[in-house]
């Protein structure tokens, strides 16, 4: 089965003084404002393409890691992942840093690191982001 997810953006104006709204069409979970100022300077009230990529990357990686840990015979109790996606105006998206903390009974730290690295490589969003540097910091809680 193939699943296609959709989001739309309605943009008004030029890049530097314009703005838009991103709507999550498939889930219908919300509409979020976007603009260049937030993207190039940061914001706590307006989202960016990089924040949306970070959401996709952190959730995909958590799913991939959960599967890999279960296949190892050590299913996780919990996984908390933060993805930090960096954008440099004039250059573009330069990297994604995954920081994961997990509770996995019966697993040694070196095995967790190996499995996490494999999940990072196998995560479909990581594969889609192959043109940027992806780093990982993995810790057992």
């Amino acid at each position: 089965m193939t699943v296609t997810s959709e989001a739309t953006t309605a943009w008004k104006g030029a890049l530097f003084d314009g703005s838009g709204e991103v709507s999550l069409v498939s889930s219908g979970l919300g509409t979020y404002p976007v603009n260049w100022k937030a993207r190039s300077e940061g914001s706590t009230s307006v989202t960016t393409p990089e924040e949306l990529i970070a959401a996709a990357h952190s959730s995909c990686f958590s799913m991939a890691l959960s599967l890999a840990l279960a296949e190892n015979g050590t299913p996780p109790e919990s996984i908390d992942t933060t993805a930090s996606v960096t954008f440099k105006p004039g250059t573009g998206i330069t990297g994604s840093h995954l920081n994961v903390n997990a509770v996995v009974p019966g697993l040694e730290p070196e095995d967790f690191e190996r499995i996490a690295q494999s999940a990072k490589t196998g995560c479909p969003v990581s594969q889609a982001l192959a043109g940027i540097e992806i780093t990982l910091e993995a810790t057992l809680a």
Side-chain angles (χ1 to χ4, degrees), residues 36 39 50 86-94:
W36 175 256
R39 190 173 194 190
E50 292 72 32
T86 304
F87 174 77
K88 182 177 179 183
T91 301
I93 297 171
T94 59

Side-chain angles (χ1 to χ4, degrees), residues 50-95:
E50 292 72 32
E51 183 177 35
L52 298 171
I53 290 170
H57 203 189
S58 66
S59 60
C60 183
F61 171 79
S62 293
M63 291 179 197
L65 180 58
S66 178
L67 174 63
L69 289 166
E71 288 176 343
N72 186 62
T74 53
E77 285 183 10
S78 65
I79 297 171
D80 294 308
T81 304
T82 300
S84 303
V85 175
T86 304
F87 174 77
K88 182 177 179 183
T91 301
I93 297 171
T94 59

Side-chain angles (χ1 to χ4, degrees), residues 40-132:
S40 62
E41 298 175 19
S43 174
T44 59
S45 61
V46 176
T47 195
T48 65
E50 292 72 32
E51 183 177 35
L52 298 171
I53 290 170
H57 203 189
S58 66
S59 60
C60 183
F61 171 79
S62 293
M63 291 179 197
L65 180 58
S66 178
L67 174 63
L69 289 166
E71 288 176 343
N72 186 62
T74 53
E77 285 183 10
S78 65
I79 297 171
D80 294 308
T81 304
T82 300
S84 303
V85 175
T86 304
F87 174 77
K88 182 177 179 183
T91 301
I93 297 171
T94 59
S96 182
H97 177 72
L98 296 167
N99 188 331
V100 60
N101 292 291
V103 176
V104 187
L107 189 64
E108 295 299 319
E110 58 274 2
D111 292 327
F112 178 65
E113 175 70 29
R114 176 184 48 79
I115 293 168
Q117 287 290 344
S118 178
K120 178 190 86 168
T121 303
C123 164
V125 172
S126 290
Q127 292 172 2
L129 297 174
I132 63 169

Side-chain angles (χ1 to χ4, degrees), residues 16 29 91 139 141:
F16 297 118
L29 289 178
T91 301
T139 307

Side-chain angles (χ1 to χ4, degrees), residues 16-40:
F16 297 118
D17 62 357
S19 64
E21 290 187 334
V22 174
S23 297
L24 305 180
V25 175
S26 297
S27 66
L29 289 178
T31 298
Y32 306 94
V34 294
N35 64 40
W36 175 256
K37 183 174 179 171
R39 190 173 194 190
S40 62

